[in-house]
Amino acid sequence: MKKYKVLFVVSEFFKGGAERFTYEIDRVLDKSKFEVTILCLNGKNAKNSTWHRHYHKLHLALGTKILYNDEFLNPQNAIINKLRKKLRIKSKEIINYKLLVNYLSKFDLIHWMGEYTFYKKLPNFLIKKSLINIMSAKFQNQNLYKNFDKKKKYNFISGFTEKEAIYELNEFPQKKHWHFPLIFKIEENKIWNFKNTVIKKIGIFTRLDKYKPLDPFFYAFQLLLTENKNIELHIFGSGDPEEQGLNLKLKNLDILDKVFFRGHQENITKTAIIEDLNLSWFQGYNNNRPAGYAGFDICSVGIPLICWDFYYKKIEKINEVYPHFKNLRYFVDYTIKILTIKEEAIKLSNNQIKDVMCNRDSSTKIKQLEAIYHEIIN
């Protein structure tokens, strides 16, 4: 049987959503049918003070070949580089176009892990064999596709439903879009139990930056404290709250003493259980699902989760599995219900576990992606 050559293009191997998604696919993809290589768009020896290349070794353990963008950079003239440095002119790394195109031509399919990884200067024959995985949404950045040539036809794949994709991809008159959800290996059974603790702890798992807005949660938490002072908000994720201006917002809302920034967590589910979280808040999308891996991780161990909806449409009815809200009062009232009424909390917990088990299990969902690969290749 012929093996199809698939190239994943990633920005890095850090513990981000797109990087994890790439690994989850690589881990379960049928290697008797697909031979996988990964191209990282960062340099091989690039350093980062905050992150380490978590998924690099995991991919290698699967037998996956890895290349870095150093392979495709034009060599810089030493004299010019010295002059640039002397004049304090930033040196730009220039891609060797011919070399890159020749390399990409060797693959049957190129899976770009994130719309931001896609190389906009590709010739049409490579665009046809490209699958662009959307990892962002327009509520995060209205200019996601600013540099795309809208006249060309692209193959997109994302967690958006077909109706959502009409809005997200409305700039492209010609396109093909497939829905494929975030998948992962579901290892743990339900281990959360309702506890009527004196201090209620709400957890948010998110990176601290402009792509992960927290303002609605801060406003909701301020309102929540008027109902019950014995509640704490714990925010887990990398980033400096002072540098991001979050501490100032909390000071202005007079809730700084009740909000705790806990930093990056190596294991989200383990942290959530050890911390005895009563509830989790998360970013939501279109009254449908949490907008990211951390939300599904939380649900996989049974901790109830409710969402603030960042999609533009009105919410017509309550989502019984992943409740979404746009109204602060409703959001706070529902939070209080889940924090205080055992039966309601357990019901929500069970609904979310069931949904994750049925719709996010990588071992069963991968066949859907393999079918998409075959459709593009053939």
Side-chain angles (χ1 to χ4, degrees), residues 279-296:
L279 172 71
S280 181
W281 283 348
F282 207 74
Q283 297 172 354
Y285 190 89
N286 193 22
N287 194 29
N288 186 280
R289 73 271 181 197
Y293 265 118
F296 296 114

Side-chain angles (χ1 to χ4, degrees), residues 26-51:
D26 190 17
R27 186 179 59 80
V28 293
L29 201 63
D30 188 342
K31 298 303 170 59
S32 69
K33 300 177 182 177
F34 301 98
E35 178 183 311
V36 177
T37 302
I38 298 178
L39 170 62
C40 177
L41 298 181
N42 206 351
K44 185 175 184 178
N45 298 314
K47 303 295 182 183
N48 188 290
S49 59
T50 306
W51 298 93

Side-chain angles (χ1 to χ4, degrees), residues 216-254:
F217 301 111
F218 291 161
Y219 297 135
F221 187 62
Q222 183 198 50
L223 186 57
L224 184 61
L225 289 175
T226 65
E227 305 284 339
N228 186 340
K229 294 292 184 182
N230 294 321
I231 301 178
E232 297 176 352
L233 180 61
H234 293 254
I235 301 175
F236 304 89
S238 64
D240 186 336
E242 187 68 31
E243 186 179 297
Q244 297 295 328
L246 301 179
N247 285 338
L248 179 59
K249 292 179 180 180
L250 296 175
K251 287 178 183 177
N252 290 338
L253 292 171
D254 196 24

